Amino acid sequence: MKKTFLMTAALALLMAGGAAAADLKFKPGEDSKFNWQSFEDFKKGHDLKGQTLTIFGPWRGEDEALFKIVYAYFTEATGVEIKYSSSENYEQQIVIDTQAGSPPDVAILPQPGLIADLASKGYLSPLGDETQKWLLDNYAAGQSWVDLSTYKGKDGNAALFAFPYKIDVKSLVWYVPENFEDAGYEVPKTMEDLKALTEQIVADGGTPWCIGLGSGGATGWPATDWVEDLMLRTATPETYDKWVTNQIPFTDAAVTGALDEFGWFAKNDKFVDGGAAAVASTDFRDSPKGLFASPPKCYLHHQASFIPSFFPEGTVVGEDADFFYMPPYASKPELGNPVLGAGTLAMITKDTPAARAFIEFLKTPIAHEVWMAQTSFLTPYKSANPEAYANAPMKKQGEILLNSTTFRFDGSDLMPGKIGAGAFWTGMIDFVGGKSAADVAAGVQKSWDAIK
């Protein structure tokens, strides 16, 4: 998501030392949901006593605490001392550190565009063919992860420079199970069913959708997630890749087709709470509240996994509110089960034995299961035990990743900032305000041409 847009510029450096065995949250050997054999096998093959590993990442606060719990097992297995640091403006800090010749051993970042820039300047070390094959064999939709992790190096040749770790899912539709039960509605399995449900709710006298694009200076971004999800369900992933790099123009029929699909939902007064005019003016944080009104102001809400933060206090996900996978079109079986999302990728910025060992550690089930058993962590790793997830909603989102046939990163985050966090956002406001898909697409393309 566009979290970077919302971040302030203040700098804070957070350091932490290694952990002793006594600090391990889950005792090795106990609780069969963990693959302790993978921990023991890794431990036998890696002795890094006396060495230090520096890691720079985006995680602060709760996520930093959770990551420390994970890397305590790496410390326990190897004897290495870990120093982790982060910054509120980590995107600038990692550029400064690499340019100054004082990078960390490992950098973990959520921005493929920034990773591509670092790789092109020679600041990243290739992870090798073995890691590429590992991703193909062990991550669901493996080719998607290889594609996401492959960038051109300083020599212009493409290589695998990153390892995806900790993924977010965006292809979710939220609803209130009690409302569905009262009305006799079923969770749709196809996009055709979702459209039919939308029309059925109107025929029954209700309003199907709550949609809000308001987000202060970032107003419009929720619509870009809609369009990206629909693009993956109406066009091939290769077309999606060409779109986000402007190898096909924004005015391509595949793009305007996805815009019009979003318009089918958002530009019909009967389909949206408050009518189409309310879509642009409703804050995205307030938009799901209609699900919980009595009688409900809407029955469906498209948003990523973070949205329960804005549900009424005390709402229990899985009971009071639930979600389903944004379904594909039955008429386009060749596109499989695409998933839109985001996530973080680990890279070697200083090639040391400890850095290489850390990447190998990320290939162990235990490196995933320890975080799965807490919160805020999803993985497409097929050998990580789904039973390790801390709760049913996390497990359900993890299953969406495991069942995916294609994964694509948030498209607007892959576009140049002036497009993905500028012209695309404002174009979507114009679109729900009445402009045609063709006119909006032409305007975004004009902005893209201006920065070439």
Side-chain angles (χ1 to χ4, degrees):
M1 219 235 319
K2 296 78 186 170
K3 294 175 182 173
T4 54
F5 180 89
L6 305 172
M7 290 182 175
T8 60
L11 176 68
L13 194 63
L14 306 170
M15 305 296 289
D23 297 329
L24 298 179
K25 186 176 180 67
F26 308 104
K27 188 176 180 181
E30 294 185 356
D31 199 333
S32 61
K33 69 185 177 188
F34 296 108
N35 187 334
W36 293 118
Q37 189 60 50
S38 71
F39 174 71
E40 294 299 330
D41 290 345
F42 180 81
K43 188 175 182 179
K44 290 175 185 173
H46 297 85
D47 184 354
L48 301 172
K49 291 185 181 65
Q51 298 185 41
T52 299
L53 176 69
T54 54
I55 301 177
F56 181 87
W59 301 313
R60 307 172 74 245
E62 182 182 12
D63 272 349
E64 180 187 353
L66 293 167
F67 180 52
K68 286 179 178 176
I69 290 171
V70 174
Y71 76 58
Y73 290 83
F74 181 69
T75 298
E76 172 65 14
T78 63
V80 74
E81 179 187 6
I82 291 184
K83 293 183 177 178
Y84 174 77
S85 62
S86 185
S87 165
E88 284 191 356
N89 59 342
Y90 58 85
E91 306 98 322
Q92 289 78 34
Q93 191 62 47
I94 190 63
V95 171
I96 292 169
D97 289 346
T98 50
Q99 288 180 342
S102 55
D105 299 316
V106 170
I108 302 174
L109 298 168
Q111 284 117 333
L114 176 57
I115 296 170
D117 188 53
L118 294 172
S120 70
K121 293 176 179 175
Y123 294 142
L124 305 181
S125 297
L127 300 185
D129 294 341
E130 187 273 335
T131 296
Q132 176 175 319
K133 185 176 186 309
W134 189 95
L135 288 172
L136 279 172
D137 293 343
N138 290 281
Y139 270 18
Q143 186 61 54
S144 293
W145 300 104
V146 169
D147 294 343
L148 178 63
S149 304
T150 300
Y151 303 89
K152 287 185 177 179
K154 192 174 182 178
D155 58 4
N157 295 322
L160 190 93
F161 283 104
F163 189 95
Y165 178 74
K166 191 178 186 300
I167 307 305
D168 300 317
V169 170
K170 294 190 166 209
S171 302
L172 304 177
V173 179
W174 296 85
Y175 70 107
V176 173
E178 183 179 355
N179 293 342
F180 263 46
E181 185 176 344
D182 290 347
Y185 300 143
E186 300 286 335
V187 169
K189 302 298 184 186
T190 68
M191 186 59 72
E192 288 86 348
D193 289 345
L194 181 59
K195 286 187 167 185
L197 175 60
T198 297
E199 293 172 331
Q200 182 62 51
I201 292 171
V202 173
D204 292 342
T207 303
W209 293 90
C210 280
I211 304 175
L213 307 187
S215 185
T219 291
W221 72 258
T224 67
D225 284 358
W226 265 95
V227 172
E228 289 154 8
D229 244 342
L230 291 165
M231 184 85 175
L232 288 172
R233 285 156 180 75
T234 53
T236 65
E238 291 76 20
T239 301
Y240 182 93
D241 296 340
K242 290 178 180 177
W243 169 48
V244 301
T245 54
N246 209 213
Q247 292 178 64
I248 61 169
F250 223 93
T251 51
D252 189 275
V255 184
T256 56
L259 287 168
D260 280 330
E261 282 296 280
F262 170 58
W264 188 90
F265 293 97
K267 297 177 77 168
N268 185 322
D269 285 336
K270 295 181 179 178
F271 288 179
V272 187
D273 179 40
V279 171
S281 59
T282 301
D283 191 283
F284 82 95
R285 287 154 287 213
D286 294 330
S287 59
K289 293 177 180 174
L291 292 170
F292 304 97
S294 181
K297 292 184 176 179
C298 62
Y299 286 82
L300 300 158
H301 182 68
H302 175 271
Q303 192 48 274
S305 55
F306 71 87
I307 198 63
S309 300
F310 302 103
F311 287 171
E313 188 175 353
T315 300
V316 178
V317 175
E319 297 179 14
D320 306 318
D322 207 345
F323 59 86
F324 58 84
Y325 165 65
M326 180 81 159
Y329 290 82
S331 59
K332 295 182 177 294
E334 70 278 10
L335 299 179
N337 298 319
V339 170
L340 180 72
T344 45
L345 299 98
M347 297 142 284
I348 293 178
T349 37
K350 185 190 294 181
D351 205 343
T352 66
R356 291 281 167 186
F358 185 75
I359 297 298
E360 292 303 308
F361 177 66
L362 297 182
K363 298 175 184 176
T364 66
I366 199 66
H368 298 246
E369 292 165 351
V370 167
W371 205 334
M372 291 162 68
Q374 300 178 85
T375 187
S376 307
F377 186 91
L378 302 174
T379 180
Y381 188 9
K382 292 182 285 188
S383 294
N385 183 6
E387 300 305 320
Y389 279 116
N391 54 56
M394 285 177 66
K395 181 181 177 184
K396 190 173 168 183
Q397 290 182 34
E399 288 171 347
I400 289 174
L401 274 178
L402 290 175
N403 292 330
S404 66
T405 55
T406 300
F407 178 90
R408 282 297 181 271
F409 207 89
D410 183 305
S412 56
D413 283 350
L414 298 173
M415 298 172 185
K418 289 186 177 179
I419 305 302
F424 193 6
W425 290 353
T426 54
M428 296 313 298
I429 298 303
D430 293 339
F431 180 63
V432 297
K435 270 193 175 182
S436 69
D439 286 346
V440 167
V444 177
Q445 185 57 47
K446 185 177 179 181
S447 297
W448 210 323
D449 290 338
I451 61 172
K452 289 181 177 176

